């Protein structure tokens, strides 16, 4: 039976981390809200359902038969072994999950650069605060997170092409997406600093070239980044060149 | 061999979610930074170590022999089955993990009520923004998260005393801590609204009465909440009664 992925239509958002894993593995999946005749209503129906025993707090969530799994890191922890995108060694799976949760925290901070005060308001209504938060994000947080991931990569005793173990995992795919998203949202800041992260850059480039990923990125299934998603390009929030 | 928990000394913080599970289970553990002669230096040593193959991004982290596991939800996912604090049914463990990750997101939002702009600055340097963010948090986010947890509890087909399955899990313990923390940080807001969450309140009270938890809460190992932790009481950020 095909996996069913539920996420907001029209954006990459957090759903994209799951999509990249499913696409790399060539898995049979349905991106439910993008199906004709289903749409976002099909997702909201589950979220509001009285019959569903385990309602999710928010999308994305994955249905595998009767099982409903929510949160990106949880979905990837579940799918990883089934898609051959998790370490073989069981204890390394907790290492992969720890890295994915660090990515989760980083992505939440990316979101808050444009919504530092109130998610129910527009960016334009909190623009001054967004500028201040973005400045701190570019100055302190990008180097802290990317510096950490670079250190993990370069110290991987099994090879510096992968974040954990000696083979591709979903963590590598997610970091590709983080670099893509940051480069879209903060092109100047990333151009100024990316040379400090050569191993991450090499990882990004090698993921982009994987046949299934390259095919996916060139397909209409890969939506463009836009200002409704997590990674948004607002020139006022970026650094100077 | 005893589990080794590493976290900042002097606060409950995120480490407390792990401590509650260890204490409830009566597990053999060492709270490393609070040991005479070790202290925070012992934690920083691991974080900066060149020898450690899997460095954590941030505390808390747990050492179980050679394995180093970071992030609260990851630690609890790992410890849960060993401490008999996870559902027996394997697929329900992903449900538990999804709930714990929702708690993780909520706790991050609690933190941002007092640090909405820049974690490198003091609260006092971002007080106006903290007021705006806290108002939105009290108005929208507390009801959204607690309403969700209340709904999950009251719809648990195995019994409304537990978040998942028919027995105590680490998710129940973590929700106890969330209610404790919110009541400390936002006493007025919680007094105004807590009657809307009777099942959560009953869960909180039943956890507090568990013998191992009651003994822990009365012990010197349970530090008091303070204004260095995640849950901070700043009267300016609370609602009116």
């Amino acid at each position: 039976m095909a996996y069913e992925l539920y996420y907001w239509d029209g954006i990459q958002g957090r759903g994209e981390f799951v999509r990249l894993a499913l696409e790399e593995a060539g898995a049979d999946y349905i991106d439910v809200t993008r199906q004709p005749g289903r749409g976002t209503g099909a997702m909201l129906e589950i979220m509001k359902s009285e019959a569903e025993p385990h309602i999710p707090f928010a999308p994305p969530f994955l249905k595998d038969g009767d099982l409903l799994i929510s949160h990106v890191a949880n979905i990837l922890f579940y799918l990883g072994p089934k898609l051959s995108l998790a370490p073989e060694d069981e204890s390394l799976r907790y290492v992969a999950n720890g890295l994915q949760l660090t990515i989760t925290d980083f992505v939440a901070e990316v979101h808050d650069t444009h919504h530092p005060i109130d998610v129910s308001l527009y960016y334009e209504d909190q623009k001054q605060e967004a500028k201040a938060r973005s400045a701190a994000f570019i100055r302190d947080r990008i180097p802290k997170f990317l510096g950490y991931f670079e250190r993990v990569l370069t110290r991987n005793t099994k090879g510096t092409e992968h974040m954990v173990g000696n083979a591709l995992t979903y963590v590598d795919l997610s970091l590709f997406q983080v670099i893509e998203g940051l480069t879209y949202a903060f092109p100047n800041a990333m151009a100024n600093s990316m040379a400090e992260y050569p191993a991450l850059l090499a990882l990004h480039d090698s993921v982009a070239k994987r046949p299934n990923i390259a095919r996916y990125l060139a397909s209409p299934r890969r939506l463009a980044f836009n200002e409704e998603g997590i990674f948004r390009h607002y020139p006022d929030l970026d650094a100077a060149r």
Side-chain angles (χ1 to χ4, degrees), chain A:
Chain A
M1 195 152 65
Y3 296 115
E4 292 191 335
L5 173 64
Y6 291 80
Y7 192 65
W8 304 110
D9 190 17
I11 60 171
Q12 293 185 17
R14 288 183 171 87
E16 198 67 10
F17 296 96
V18 181
R19 260 180 225 113
L20 285 168
L22 292 164
E23 292 281 348
E24 164 62 26
D28 188 15
Y29 80 100
I30 299 166
D31 208 331
V32 176
T33 68
R34 296 187 189 167
Q35 302 308 305
R38 300 200 67 183
T40 304
M43 180 176 86
L44 297 177
E45 207 172 284
I46 290 182
M47 295 180 67
K48 291 171 181 162
S49 157
E50 300 280 329
E52 173 57 50
H54 303 295
I55 41 170
F57 179 76
F61 53 91
L62 183 89
K63 270 182 87 80
D64 182 10
D66 283 344
L67 187 57
L68 188 158
I69 301 180
S70 63
H71 286 275
V72 169
N74 194 27
I75 296 169
L76 292 173
F77 195 77
Y78 173 78
L79 284 179
K82 296 177 200 297
L83 303 183
S84 300
L85 287 172
E88 292 280 339
D89 176 346
E90 189 110 21
S91 70
L92 282 185
R93 291 185 186 169
Y94 291 96
V95 174
N97 192 37
L99 290 166
Q100 191 67 39
L101 289 170
T102 302
I103 293 172
T104 302
D105 287 350
F106 192 26
V107 169
E109 292 198 20
V110 170
H111 170 271
D112 281 8
T113 59
H114 48 78
H115 277 79
I117 300 297
D118 189 337
V119 291
S120 74
L121 297 179
Y122 292 109
Y123 157 67
E124 286 73 16
D125 297 326
Q126 48 198 312
K127 196 169 159 179
Q128 286 317 308
E129 296 90 340
K131 277 185 170 179
R133 177 131 185 174
S134 295
F137 179 77
I138 290 168
R139 185 190 68 230
D140 295 336
R141 306 302 284 172
I142 290 182
K144 179 156 182 175
F145 279 96
L146 294 190
Y148 168 73
F149 293 129
E150 178 79 10
R151 213 153 60 241
V152 169
L153 257 180
T154 54
R155 281 171 49 180
N156 183 354
T157 54
K158 305 282 171 58
T160 62
E161 302 104 82
H162 299 297
M163 286 295 286
V164 49
N166 61 0
L168 184 83
T169 67
Y170 61 79
V171 178
D172 298 321
L173 300 175
S174 291
L175 273 175
F176 159 81
Q177 176 67 6
V178 165
I179 303 292
E180 283 287 296
L182 288 174
T183 304
Y184 172 78
F186 303 102
N188 291 347
M190 291 299 280
N192 293 343
S193 71
M194 204 56 213
E196 293 165 38
Y197 314 109
L200 271 181
L201 201 55
L203 172 71
H204 167 274
D205 294 352
S206 82
V207 167
K209 285 188 197 125
R210 296 184 68 85
N212 282 359
I213 296 294
R215 204 172 300 126
Y216 169 62
L217 296 178
S219 78
R221 299 192 300 287
R222 172 75 167 189
L223 302 186
F225 286 106
N226 63 39
E227 280 55 70
E228 305 290 323
I230 307 280
F231 294 100
R232 303 188 187 184
H233 179 51
Y234 294 125
D236 284 345
L237 302 187
D238 196 6
R241 269 316 297 267

